[in-house]
Amino acid sequence: MLGQEPSAPARAMVRPYVITGGRTTAHLTLPLEALIQASPGAGADLQAGHQPAVLSPRDLAALRERISGPVYGPADEGFRIEQVGSYGAPVHRPAAVIGARDRGDVQAAVQLAAERGLPIAVQATGHSSLSRTDGALVISTRRMRQVAVDPRTRRAWLGAGVIWRDVLDVCTPHGLAPLCGSAPGVGAIGYTLGGGLSPIGRTYGYSADYVCSLEVVTADGRIRHVDPGHDPDLFWALRGGKGNFGVVTAMEIELFAEPSLYGGGLFFRAQDAEPVLRRYLQWAPQLPESCTTSIALLRDSSGMQLRGVAGGQGVVHLRVAYLGPAEQGSALLAPMRAAAPLIGDTVAPMPFTAIGDVHEDPTTPVHVDKRGALLSDATDDTATALLSAYDATGDSVFCVELRQLGGAFSRRPAVGSCAGHRDAAYLAFTVSAPAADGAASGGQRVLGALRPWSTGGVAMNFLGSANDPRDVASAWDPDSHRRLLELKHVWDPANLFRFGYPLLAEPPKVSPEAKALLSRCHDPTSIAELAAGLGLPLGVVRVLLTDLIEAGLVTAYQLDPERAGDTQLLKEVLHELRRRL
Ligand SMILES: Cc1cc2nc3c(=O)[nH]c(=O)nc-3n(C[C@H](O)[C@H](O)[C@H](O)COP(=O)(O)OP(=O)(O)OC[C@H]3O[C@@H](n4cnc5c(N)ncnc54)[C@H](O)[C@@H]3O)c2cc1C
């Protein structure tokens, strides 16, 4: 019968076995008649081990044949420039860097990485290059800068390497605007996969909520179109799950009518920080959702090139984006303009394309320590704690920022995503000098002083230098984190995507026996065959398999118990599994 199409009932007999019960007893429930199959890429990843991987000149030549963009090995000119990112440090040692030109290049790179067991890192602008990419195949998307806008549906289609400036330039001539971040030079995809906190977010919510669909290359090397109707669990996980589930090659977003923007910054002297911060924390909770603000203490404005003030001084910078008439915005802002003597005031009606002038984020690359924390509230006592910690850290802290959340940030979208912590009132963010190994940075000490108001969570895009999976977990609520871990085992069982705020850092660690077992079940294989092949008792094989199932490295398919002894059925099922997998 092998070689013939199995009957429909036979197909229904095959279903994945799901582990239930505690770790110590789970192996007893693994049915002996189950058929075992290794997950795609699992064996390759384990063979690569934990050492930084190297690609041979032949591997690089093979890559060049499959990829239309440039391929750089460590010895090639262009390698460092392509992969180094904006910050120049720390120095990364990837196995190779690919300058992808299109989704075909991305797919070929992912397929090769999966074959060789190389982990994959993605880079658009390199703004998050604080996390190392040693041993990875880096896919650089900066050549994929296409933007298409459909004014009729009010949607835009963005290539993987697009920055917000590109989107603003293409959309605003149509009277449409994207829900972008504070810095137009930041990558639109990396920003949105991290949730996306816009400087007008209190009016509109998280940018991830405006994603209509994504095109993504998953760990199995397939290009998928993902939206609420296609792979909805992956759609949920990608929006807020950062780069943990694949390489996004394009993103379709909803636009909105370009609003009238009354925005800019108010600047105060550093010595007025106390009255200004106290006034801000009383004033901000009264603001309507049409007004999004943040306040930053800047140690030295020299490197900032702020339009409102001369360099070389400490300043307090209030950033304002009000969507409405200038007179109303001006009336709202009056209490803050009177909080202390102003040394600069750039708040005025502005075109939406100038949204970057609200924050005036630095564009010059610097290697710094960045930390974030979400606060459930901020009061007069918070101001006292923040200011005394900021003063105590001396020059090591360059910037402490509080962004007001609430408003539309706190609402859940119709189509859920894992972008989380919608109940927070403020985001605190610090930029400071990197600390010596093991020591807390100045920013960490400032955030430590704010612990009484902390929710325990962090916004994904403001995790900054916290790149350990235990810290990354704080970007989601516990239920979402649990679900993400389950989905990670489904979509990326070999943990190929483990750079840039990873859910799981290391490839699953398995014993040599389990590795040997894994190498024997590329095709569906019975437990008895595995035990005989390895010369191990059945009980030991069941225990090893249970661990591998839990790690997402193999799947066990079980049969209907009533027909488990049916030879004909077993043949049909084997055929079906081989055909399907
Ligand atoms: C000056 C500045 C201002 C900022 N302002 C804001 C703000 O207002 N609001 C906010 O929410 N965030 C803000 N951020 C944070 C910013 O959104 C993140 O650092 C974001 O990750 C930058 O993305 P990138 O593509 O520019 O950086 P990259 O370093 O190129 O990429 C960062 C990470 O994004 C993921 N990624 C990027 N592209 C892809 C892809 N195609 N597929 C899968 N994963 C991908 C990867 O995990 C990658 O490691 C700001 C950052 C800077 C430097």
Side-chain angles (χ1 to χ4, degrees):
M1 280 297 273
L2 281 180
Q4 285 182 15
E5 267 299 294
S7 60
R11 276 185 212 140
M13 301 296 161
V14 186
R15 56 200 155 93
Y17 167 76
V18 180
I19 288 200
T20 53
R23 214 189 158 87
T24 46
T25 55
H27 67 278
L28 298 173
T29 63
L30 176 62
L32 268 178
E33 67 279 8
L35 290 173
I36 309 298
Q37 165 106 49
S39 307
D45 191 57
L46 293 171
Q47 280 150 26
H50 307 305
Q51 300 305 316
V54 180
L55 288 174
S56 69
R58 275 181 63 186
D59 290 331
L60 289 172
L63 262 173
R64 288 189 181 104
E65 265 175 33
R66 288 159 72 169
I67 284 164
S68 70
V71 175
Y72 301 110
D76 293 328
E77 204 178 322
F79 174 79
R80 193 170 175 282
I81 294 168
E82 187 75 33
Q83 60 89 22
V84 78
S86 299
Y87 293 97
V91 176
H92 300 223
R93 293 188 179 78
V97 187
I98 282 161
R101 287 197 203 285
D102 54 31
R103 64 183 189 167
D105 280 358
V106 174
Q107 182 179 36
V110 172
Q111 285 171 345
L112 182 121
E115 282 163 23
R116 295 288 194 282
L118 281 177
I120 298 161
V122 193
Q123 183 168 297
T125 67
H127 273 312
S128 293
S129 61
L130 296 167
S131 71
R132 300 180 69 110
T133 55
D134 294 359
L137 186 65
V138 173
I139 300 176
S140 163
T141 60
R142 66 189 172 97
R143 290 166 185 77
M144 298 169 68
R145 294 275 289 268
Q146 310 80 355
V147 181
V149 61
D150 182 346
R152 199 180 45 82
T153 57
R154 288 189 169 190
R155 288 185 175 188
W157 184 254
L158 322 181
V162 160
I163 60 172
W164 282 120
R165 164 62 50 219
D166 302 333
V167 192
L168 288 164
D169 287 350
V170 172
C171 296
T172 49
H174 298 280
L176 296 170
L179 192 51
C180 57
S182 63
V186 159
I189 308 285
Y191 162 94
T192 308
L193 297 183
L197 291 167
S198 172
I200 54 167
R202 277 172 46 81
T203 315
Y204 289 97
Y206 280 91
S207 303
D209 298 346
Y210 288 77
V211 177
C212 308
S213 66
L214 293 157
E215 184 185 82
V216 58
V217 180
T218 42
D220 57 5
R222 282 180 57 187
I223 300 174
R224 293 166 195 275
H225 178 90
V226 180
D227 64 21
H230 301 89
D231 294 320
D233 55 351
L234 186 56
F235 191 56
W236 175 86
L238 282 164
R239 293 168 304 130
K242 207 68 176 181
N244 280 294
F245 291 90
V247 186
V248 171
T249 46
M251 175 171 82
E252 187 188 18
I253 56 167
E254 200 179 323
L255 305 168
F256 48 88
E258 188 180 348
S260 56
L261 172 63
Y262 177 73
L266 298 187
F267 298 89
F268 305 89
R269 295 173 308 179
Q271 58 263 44
D272 291 324
E274 186 172 342
V276 173
L277 185 57
R278 290 191 195 287
R279 174 72 61 88
Y280 175 74
L281 292 178
Q282 288 161 2
W283 172 75
Q286 321 296 328
L287 291 173
E289 288 185 6
S290 47
C291 193
T292 306
T293 66
S294 62
I295 192 162
L297 309 179
L298 304 173
R299 189 77 65 184
D300 180 350
S301 58
S302 299
M304 304 282 295
Q305 292 146 2
L306 298 166
R307 288 173 308 136
V309 285
Q313 56 182 323
V315 293
V316 183
H317 181 190
L318 173 67
R319 298 84 160 250
V320 180
Y322 173 66
L323 302 184
E327 315 77 63
Q328 286 176 14
S330 179
L332 278 176
L333 205 50
M336 287 312 299
R337 282 196 164 115
L342 282 167
I343 55 170
D345 184 345
T346 62
V347 185
M350 57 163 67
F352 195 77
T353 45
I355 184 84
D357 290 346
V358 171
H359 276 240
E360 298 196 83
D361 288 319
T363 49
T364 324
V366 266
H367 177 44
V368 286
D369 179 273
K370 297 180 178 182
R371 304 283 161 175
L374 289 167
L375 309 182
S376 54
D377 193 12
T379 62
D380 225 31
D381 290 344
T382 323
T384 308
L386 191 155
L387 290 166
S388 73
Y390 180 63
D391 288 344
T393 52
D395 288 344
S396 72
V397 176
F398 311 135
C399 169
V400 179
E401 172 181 353
L402 284 182
R403 291 190 182 204
Q404 193 195 4
L405 304 176
F409 278 127
S410 55
R411 286 198 283 276
R412 298 204 168 270
V415 179
S417 75
C418 68
H421 296 313
R422 295 184 185 242
D423 50 352
Y426 292 91
L427 165 76
F429 187 62
T430 62
V431 181
S432 54
D437 269 354
S441 67
Q444 283 173 297
R445 279 179 276 144
V446 170
L447 293 187
L450 300 184
R451 203 162 289 137
W453 297 274
S454 165
T455 66
V458 186
M460 167 60 84
N461 279 348
F462 295 84
L463 277 165
S465 312
N467 202 42
D468 184 286
R470 284 164 298 188
D471 298 321
V472 174
S474 60
W476 305 286
D477 62 67
D479 284 346
S480 297
H481 183 236
R482 249 191 308 278
R483 186 174 167 199
L484 284 167
L485 285 173
E486 284 165 18
L487 291 173
K488 181 75 175 170
H489 287 308
V490 173
W491 290 101
D492 182 18
N495 197 15
L496 288 183
F497 302 109
R498 57 173 183 266
F499 293 97
Y501 308 115
L503 263 167
L504 300 168
E506 296 281 317
K509 290 191 175 98
V510 298
S511 64
E513 293 81 10
K515 244 187 232 182
L517 212 158
L518 199 58
S519 68
R520 287 176 175 266
C521 50
H522 291 303
D523 290 325
T525 311
S526 73
I527 297 178
E529 272 178 274
L530 290 171
L534 290 168
L536 289 173
L538 270 178
V540 173
V541 171
R542 273 167 111 188
V543 172
L544 292 171
L545 282 173
T546 308
D547 284 348
L548 290 173
I549 294 168
E550 270 197 335
L553 294 170
V554 301
T555 306
Y557 293 92
Q558 61 179 332
L559 310 177
D560 183 332
E562 283 181 16
R563 296 194 58 197
D566 182 334
T567 323
Q568 178 56 36
L569 175 71
L570 278 173
K571 284 181 180 170
E572 288 180 12
V573 165
L574 260 179
H575 170 77
E576 171 65 4
L577 279 173
R578 287 187 175 130
R579 192 185 67 81
R580 206 192 299 175
L581 303 169

